[in-house]
Amino acid sequence: MIFDRKGDYQSLLHYPKFVFIQLIHFYINILEPPPGLDFKRWVNIIAEIFSNYLDIRVASRSLLVTTILKMSELPEFLPSGRYPTLKDVYFYLLRMKIPLLSNISRQKETLIIRMEGLFAVFGDNINSHRQLNWNKFIKTDWALSLVGLPTDFQNLLITMIIAKVLMYRIVNNLRSQRLEILIVLDE
């Protein structure tokens, strides 16, 4: 698994089993947990990652977690097996009626501004309802092109993907004595 920041790895395409993914062709729902991981646990991991990379403090992080968890119980998500996307959370926050002169209003505003920044950079690539084939994703040799993305957003996406892979391996007890996954971060 290679996170290509400079466009150096496209030449590996001549290897038959190697996949080079342009970001415009990579779709993921960052709120969807990897198979086997409890949704509530994943939401807290995502919120912590957001805190670190998007400068979201504890109060806003708590609002993010409670909002996502409330949304996951809505009829369009809970029985369907679908998970809300960050865009779903964004629109839910926009509809929330909160007094303007309150701490919660400022926390809501912080989240909305951060999400708008993410959407401006990633578009719908992080808000997809497409199902990722985890077995194939884990076993395929690939590079994801991050060329042109701001470094802080590159780091955010890399951390989320690595967290998904790590948690997938942990909850599914995919431990081994041999090296099975090598993640390359090219400066």
Side-chain angles (χ1 to χ4, degrees):
M1 298 176 182
I2 300 172
F3 296 97
D4 186 10
R5 297 176 186 256
K6 300 181 300 181
D8 292 339
Y9 292 93
Q10 197 164 3
S11 61
L12 295 175
L13 275 172
H14 76 274
Y15 292 100
K17 294 184 180 182
F18 186 81
V19 178
F20 186 83
I21 309 164
Q22 295 287 344
L23 186 62
I24 60 169
H25 301 294
F26 182 76
Y27 288 91
I28 193 168
N29 179 358
I30 58 175
L31 298 185
E32 181 177 349
L37 182 63
D38 177 63
F39 181 65
K40 187 174 183 179
R41 187 171 173 201
W42 178 246
V43 168
N44 283 289
I45 292 169
I46 283 294
E48 184 177 356
I49 293 169
F50 273 28
S51 290
N52 291 331
Y53 290 99
L54 298 177
D55 194 29
I56 295 174
R57 301 294 176 232
V58 173
S60 295
R61 182 169 82 187
S62 296
L63 178 59
L64 177 65
V65 168
T66 57
T67 301
I68 293 171
L69 293 176
K70 279 182 202 172
M71 287 191 66
S72 70
E73 295 174 358
L74 294 174
E76 60 262 35
F77 297 113
L78 185 64
S80 71
R82 284 184 37 220
Y83 294 93
T85 65
L86 204 53
K87 215 166 226 180
D88 296 324
V89 174
Y90 171 79
F91 289 120
Y92 186 90
L93 285 169
L94 286 177
R95 290 189 305 269
M96 284 176 67
K97 302 292 184 211
I98 299 171
L100 290 177
L101 298 175
S102 68
N103 288 335
I104 294 176
S105 179
R106 287 193 304 276
Q107 296 156 9
K108 172 185 162 183
E109 180 182 27
T110 296
L111 291 174
I112 287 171
I113 290 169
R114 299 311 192 272
M115 287 183 206
E116 287 173 347
L118 284 172
F119 302 152
V121 171
F122 292 111
D124 285 332
N125 295 84
I126 60 171
N127 294 298
S128 178
H129 286 291
R130 297 178 189 185
Q131 293 285 45
L132 183 64
N133 180 335
W134 271 91
N135 198 28
K136 188 175 179 182
F137 183 68
I138 292 293
K139 292 181 179 179
T140 302
D141 296 329
W142 53 262
L144 175 61
S145 175
L146 302 174
V147 174
L149 292 180
T151 304
D152 50 350
F153 288 108
Q154 288 180 11
N155 294 338
L156 174 75
L157 184 62
I158 290 168
T159 303
M160 286 186 192
I161 292 171
I162 290 174
K164 278 191 180 227
V165 170
L166 176 66
M167 295 310 297
Y168 175 75
R169 293 189 56 80
I170 289 171
V171 299
N172 291 289
N173 200 22
L174 300 175
R175 296 186 178 120
S176 169
Q177 293 296 328
R178 58 190 185 105
L179 178 64
E180 299 209 11
I181 294 185
L182 176 64
I183 298 172
V184 178
L185 304 171
D186 184 14
E187 79 261 338

